[in-house]
Amino acid sequence: MELDKFKHFSVFGNPIEHTLSPKIHSLFSKQTNIPCSYTAVKVPLNEFSNRINSFFNTIGDGANVTLPFKEEAYCFSDILTNRAKLTKSVNTLKKVKDEKILGDNTDGIGFLYDLNRLGFLKKNNKILLIGAGGAARGLLPSILSKNNEVFIYNRTYERAKKLAEEFRYLGKIQEVGYKDLSAIKAGLIIHATSYFFSKEKLILPSSLIHQNVSCYDLSYVKNSQTTPFLNWCKKLGAMNLANGIGMLISQAAYSFLLWNNILPDIEKIFAEL
Ligand code: NAP
């Protein structure tokens, strides 16, 4: 009987110190009895393709890619899944036949899984998406597929405008400026900026928060349920709050599925973490 090959996976990003991915993947590995290694690699900003090339040319079977390399990973891929083509960004790479590299994006499906779990996913909802970087791009096709009306706000207005134009063919989406925010009564606010890392303040009008709004922060702080954005929402009376851990676990589970053909039991991992 042929034994399954021990597989090697890594997550590549910068910064990477905060990542929980190695822990999550070791829980998946235990749960499914698929032995594999999973390490975190901090990549200097201009070194992405060198590092990922040498990983796949030596031990690598699959990789996750995080901030700020998802668009580079898209260009690096030889073959793309439909999800990756739609988002033009890649968070999961897999070595496939003939040493080719397949690029996928599991952020959107992971995010929808988590919204469903939390009961935040309503039909015909108004959604305010704050941020227009790689994470926002990764989510847009999924949230637009649910018939939602999306308003996108970003510090750099032009970037929000560009993203709205790019995804308008998939549903209702419009860019908004700071002055427009006070007129928006969204049922769901998704915070997808990295201001956290920049140590600057994110300034938003308090009128965005009302009792029935759900607030989802893609960021998370290790060993904490909350984040500065969620603290701000809570102080203003929001009651439905969630950080990005759920999305992190769910997108990781769909990467694991791509690599190993098994979807781990996501609920069990929530309990264990
Ligand atoms: P990115 O591509 O670098 O984009 C950064 C975004 O944050 C841009 O919209 C940028 O606005 C904005 N921003 C940065 N500093 C800001 C500040 N001081 N004030 C206001 N806006 C600011 O990063 P990303 O990949 O989109 O990631 C965004 C966040 O999502 C990160 O915290 C990341 O960890 C998180 N994330 C979580 C998951 C998960 O599974 N939970 C998955 C993906 C990402 P400008 O355009 O004006 O620069």
Side-chain angles (χ1 to χ4, degrees):
M1 191 179 76
E2 196 186 324
L3 287 175
D4 279 345
K5 177 180 165 277
F6 185 90
K7 293 184 186 167
H8 296 274
F9 305 108
S10 271
V11 55
F12 294 82
N14 186 348
I16 200 70
E17 295 77 7
H18 66 290
T19 185
L20 287 173
S21 295
K23 167 93 183 148
I24 293 169
H25 279 273
S26 87
L27 292 173
F28 290 163
S29 161
K30 265 194 211 142
Q31 189 196 88
T32 57
N33 282 324
I34 295 181
C36 49
S37 70
Y38 189 107
T39 53
V41 181
K42 184 171 178 179
V43 181
L45 292 180
N46 54 354
E47 284 276 313
F48 177 74
S49 52
N50 279 347
R51 293 292 178 93
I52 201 95
N53 239 330
S54 77
F55 175 67
F56 278 115
N57 286 335
T58 52
I59 57 168
D61 295 288
N64 281 132
V65 180
T66 186
L67 192 108
F69 300 119
K70 291 183 187 178
E71 288 171 38
E72 275 188 71
Y74 172 82
C75 299
F76 179 84
S77 307
D78 301 308
I79 316 164
L80 293 162
T81 62
N82 280 341
R83 296 190 293 227
K85 282 183 196 159
L86 274 176
T87 56
K88 297 202 180 87
S89 93
V90 157
N91 78 332
T92 309
L93 296 164
K94 180 185 181 182
K95 195 195 265 182
V96 290
K97 245 173 91 181
D98 302 328
E99 306 288 296
K100 295 257 190 265
I101 303 298
L102 171 72
D104 189 12
N105 192 318
T106 64
D107 281 338
I109 190 171
F111 183 62
L112 283 189
Y113 182 95
D114 205 39
L115 286 188
N116 256 323
R117 180 184 72 90
L118 294 159
F120 284 9
L121 196 61
K122 311 247 163 56
K123 272 200 176 149
N124 304 316
N125 207 359
K126 280 193 177 158
I127 297 181
L128 173 65
L129 174 61
I130 303 168
R137 166 179 288 284
L139 305 185
L140 274 173
S142 303
I143 52 181
L144 286 167
S145 73
K146 297 289 169 194
N147 247 349
N148 295 302
E149 185 174 1
V150 177
F151 300 91
I152 177 163
Y153 169 71
N154 191 45
R155 175 177 65 176
T156 311
Y157 176 80
E158 281 309 311
R159 240 179 137 187
K161 187 167 182 245
K162 214 170 146 230
L163 219 50
E165 277 164 7
E166 185 179 334
F167 286 102
R168 195 153 290 141
Y169 78 103
L170 291 176
K172 278 191 203 159
I173 174 165
Q174 80 179 78
E175 70 281 6
V176 290
Y178 186 84
K179 281 189 190 146
D180 306 315
L181 287 177
S182 50
I184 292 176
K185 193 163 188 247
L188 171 64
I189 301 178
I190 302 165
H191 172 246
T193 86
S194 57
Y195 87 94
F196 223 11
F197 297 115
S198 73
K199 306 263 186 286
E200 288 168 47
K201 274 210 153 184
L202 178 73
I203 297 168
L204 297 167
S206 55
S207 59
L208 286 174
I209 305 300
H210 50 91
Q211 250 196 345
N212 299 322
V213 70
S214 300
C215 304
Y216 194 107
D217 193 345
L218 260 64
S219 318
Y220 52 86
V221 183
K222 235 177 183 173
N223 303 323
S224 168
Q225 291 287 327
T226 194
T227 66
F229 171 73
L230 293 177
N231 281 337
W232 178 81
C233 299
K234 195 175 172 187
K235 241 190 237 163
L236 293 169
M239 293 192 296
N240 303 321
L241 307 165
N243 67 23
I245 295 275
M247 173 181 170
L248 182 79
I249 297 173
S250 312
Q251 59 81 26
Y254 284 96
S255 296
F256 193 89
L257 171 67
L258 183 80
W259 295 328
N260 300 305
N261 302 316
I262 293 179
L263 183 66
D265 183 335
I266 298 175
E267 298 305 321
K268 273 195 186 156
I269 302 297
F270 279 114
E272 287 177 77
L273 268 186

